Amino acid sequence: MAVERTLSIIKPDAVAKNVIGQIYARFEGAGLKIIASKQKQLSRAEAEAFYAVHKARPFFNDLVSFMISGPVQIQVLEGEGAILKNRDLMGATDPKKAEKGTIRADFADSIDANAVHGSDAPETAAQEVAFFFSGLEINGR
Ligand code: RTP
Ligand code: MG
C-alpha cells in the first residue's frame, strides 16, 4: 500500500474537552505520523470555504457555526493507506453509529459535535492539506 497524506481536524468540541493528546496517541498507535500541526480559530469565511462541497446541504450553516465555535487543531497525517486508516480510526459520522473504540464513539457527542474531520479520498486529501498548509510548513518537505 502506498504512503499517503491526509488532513485531519480535531473539532472545537474535542479541543474543548482537552483530548488532543489522546486523539494524537490513536494516530500514532495506528502508525500514522503527524508531520504538520497547528491550532487555529477559523473565521466564518475560512470554514465556509473549507466545507464549500457541502454548501447546498441543509446542515451547512450549522456545520460552519459549529466549526467556528472555538479553536480547532489541524494536522497532516502521513503513513501507509493514511486516508482510509484515519477514517477507520474516526468511526461513522454519527457517533451513535460509530464502532466501539473509534474516536467518535469515545469522544463525540452528536452528529454535529463529532470530534474529528478526516479527508475522504486522495483528491480531497491533497486539496485539504493545501488549504491549510504550505509546502514549507510540512515538516520541511
Ligand atoms: P467530516 O467531513 O467532518 O470528516 O465528516 P464525514 O465525512 O464523516 O461527514 P460529511 O458527510 O462529510 O459531513 C460533514 C460534517 O457535517 C456534519 N453533518 N451533519 N445533520 C446531518 O445530517 C449532518 N450530516 C453531516 C457532520 O458534523 C459531518 O462531520
Ligand atoms: Mg466529509
Side-chain angles (χ1 to χ4, degrees):
M1 197 179 286
V3 173
E4 294 175 336
R5 289 177 179 180
T6 192
L7 194 277
S8 159
I9 302 177
I10 300 179
K11 296 186 180 185
D13 57 320
V15 172
K17 283 183 184 170
N18 205 22
V19 293
I20 293 170
Q22 291 185 59
I23 294 174
Y24 274 17
R26 298 202 179 192
F27 297 150
E28 292 177 344
L32 294 173
K33 287 187 175 154
I34 299 155
I35 63 167
S37 161
K38 62 184 162 194
Q39 188 162 132
K40 189 168 160 51
Q41 170 66 54
L42 297 179
S43 68
R44 183 168 292 275
E46 287 167 343
E48 285 176 353
F50 181 74
Y51 277 119
V53 64
H54 293 311
K55 210 171 171 55
R57 307 285 282 279
F59 57 80
F60 181 70
N61 284 332
D62 286 346
L63 173 61
V64 168
S65 294
F66 173 66
M67 290 300 286
I68 65 172
S69 65
V72 293
Q73 184 77 24
I74 311 166
Q75 43 283 326
V76 180
L77 306 178
E78 185 180 79
E80 300 246 327
I83 297 166
L84 200 58
K85 199 176 264 185
N86 181 43
R87 297 287 299 191
D88 286 345
L89 291 172
M90 290 163 57
T93 309
D94 181 350
K96 290 199 289 284
K97 296 180 184 151
E99 258 184 69
K100 238 178 118 187
T102 59
I103 293 168
R104 282 169 166 163
D106 291 345
F107 299 115
D109 298 319
S110 68
I111 193 162
D112 298 304
N114 66 357
V116 279
H117 164 84
S119 308
D120 57 13
E123 299 72 30
T124 49
Q127 283 166 15
E128 292 179 1
V129 168
F131 185 88
F132 284 116
F133 294 95
S134 74
L136 282 175
E137 287 176 302
I138 303 176
N139 201 12
R141 286 175 277 184

